[in-house]
Amino acid sequence: MEREDPLAFVRDQLRRQRALRNMSQEEFGRRANYSASTVSAVETGTRSLDLPYAKRADEILDSGGLLESLLKSAQGDGEPPWLKPYLEAERNARQLRCFEPLLVPGLLQTENYARAVMRSVDVRSESEVEQYVASRMERQEILKREDPPQFIGVIDESVLRRRDAIMGEQLAHLLRMAELPHVHLNVVPLTAGLHVGLCGPLVLVRLVDGTWVGHLDDQLGGSPVGAEEGLATLLARWEAVRSAALPEGLSVALIKEIESQHGPQ
């Protein structure tokens, strides 16, 4: 069965609110400073419906923030069920430990990088891709809040050396994030050879009360780890990959060296 687009209801309400005010797409577009073709594309789902558009629509239609609220709810509801336990832990984290052998950690991804990752799953519609990207960008706010968690990211060097066109921008973003006092990056160099981290990514979250929550990703999704034995294994493997990584200063220097090979951004 085809998966229902969680944004379809929001688009339906957008059309309904406009119709209730006897406003054509042309008139709405004129007031909102959008072309009629853009308005049509948003309402039919061929162009993504984002928060700035929803906020402007609420202003024009005097809908009291309804569309913005519905859109935020749809974005939250669109998260896969297997990810929600981790997201709840992430929101309440005091420390985040993340190892990635294949990708830049999600909380450090640029919008363009996240979009490319989401599009690599070719069964996703464009609206699903944009929904996931928006959710990921919203999650990153945790690192910008007044009292952010400490973030320690360990990345395999091979991740940084992928030659995609978006990598220059992504590397520059990593360097900016590394300047934040609560963000720490370590790179496992290619010279480390085989190491236990190549068995797969892992995330460990320390909550306010000192307890730990783990999370593992795979091709089918992901799963939380809360059992004592599983957490002990993940903590041990974290120490192993962290010990294989370069110190923070040398890691940042390596990122700068690789970033310089992409030319000016």
Side-chain angles (χ1 to χ4, degrees):
M1 182 173 62
E2 184 179 356
R3 182 175 176 179
E4 182 181 356
D5 180 1
L7 298 181
F9 177 74
V10 187
R11 291 196 297 270
D12 287 342
Q13 290 301 308
L14 174 58
R15 288 190 294 267
R16 185 171 184 273
Q17 291 296 318
R18 181 175 56 75
L20 285 172
R21 288 154 182 79
N22 295 316
M23 193 179 298
S24 67
Q25 290 181 341
E26 290 77 9
E27 183 182 355
F28 176 85
R30 187 166 57 253
R31 295 190 183 189
N33 200 27
Y34 292 110
S35 67
S37 61
T38 296
V39 175
S40 176
V42 170
E43 292 187 2
T44 58
T46 57
R47 182 186 184 277
S48 62
L49 171 58
D50 55 21
L51 283 175
Y53 190 103
K55 290 179 180 179
R56 185 60 178 148
D58 277 327
E59 293 171 3
I60 299 300
L61 301 173
D62 194 26
S63 45
L66 171 67
L67 299 170
E68 180 184 356
S69 176
L70 287 175
L71 180 58
K72 287 181 176 178
S73 176
Q75 290 172 343
D77 289 344
E79 292 291 358
W82 53 261
L83 187 57
K84 290 184 178 181
Y86 169 72
L87 293 180
E88 183 63 27
E90 184 180 84
R91 284 190 287 268
N92 294 284
R94 295 309 306 142
Q95 185 187 80
L96 289 157
R97 299 180 179 183
C98 177
F99 168 69
E100 277 287 354
L102 300 173
L103 295 169
V104 172
L107 291 180
L108 301 181
Q109 292 177 3
T110 64
E111 184 173 337
N112 285 330
Y113 186 99
R115 185 173 288 109
V117 171
M118 298 304 174
R119 282 177 175 161
S120 68
V121 181
D122 60 7
V123 297
R124 285 179 179 148
S125 67
E126 192 62 21
S127 63
E128 283 181 307
V129 168
E130 292 303 323
Q131 174 192 342
Y132 283 126
V133 171
S135 176
R136 181 154 296 181
M137 295 302 102
E138 185 176 347
R139 283 171 55 197
Q140 292 180 1
E141 293 299 313
I142 189 176
L143 297 180
K144 303 173 186 177
R145 69 190 188 193
E146 186 175 341
D147 184 26
Q150 181 187 52
F151 181 90
I152 307 172
V154 179
I155 309 172
D156 197 85
E157 183 181 347
S158 61
V159 174
L160 309 176
R161 291 198 178 276
R162 295 191 185 278
R163 299 305 300 174
D164 301 78
I166 56 174
M167 280 308 299
E169 175 191 48
Q170 177 62 70
L171 291 166
H173 180 66
L174 283 178
L175 291 171
R176 288 192 296 272
M177 294 301 293
E179 294 175 355
L180 299 176
H182 56 283
V183 175
H184 307 275
L185 297 181
N186 298 94
V187 178
V188 179
L190 295 175
T191 54
L194 296 176
H195 57 88
V196 70
L198 296 177
C199 294
L202 66 90
V203 179
L204 286 158
V205 181
R206 184 168 62 81
L207 303 176
V208 176
D209 61 4
T211 59
W212 289 93
V213 174
H215 183 80
L216 297 174
D217 285 325
D218 58 36
Q219 287 282 349
L220 297 179
S223 58
V225 178
E228 185 175 344
E229 182 178 353
L231 286 171
T233 298
L234 291 185
L235 285 164
R237 293 195 176 181
W238 165 262
E239 293 300 331
V241 295
R242 186 92 189 271
S243 66
L246 296 171
E248 191 169 353
L250 292 178
S251 294
V252 171
L254 179 57
I255 297 172
K256 287 181 179 178
E257 176 189 336
I258 299 171
E259 190 262 347
S260 69
Q261 298 169 10
H262 289 264
Q265 300 303 308

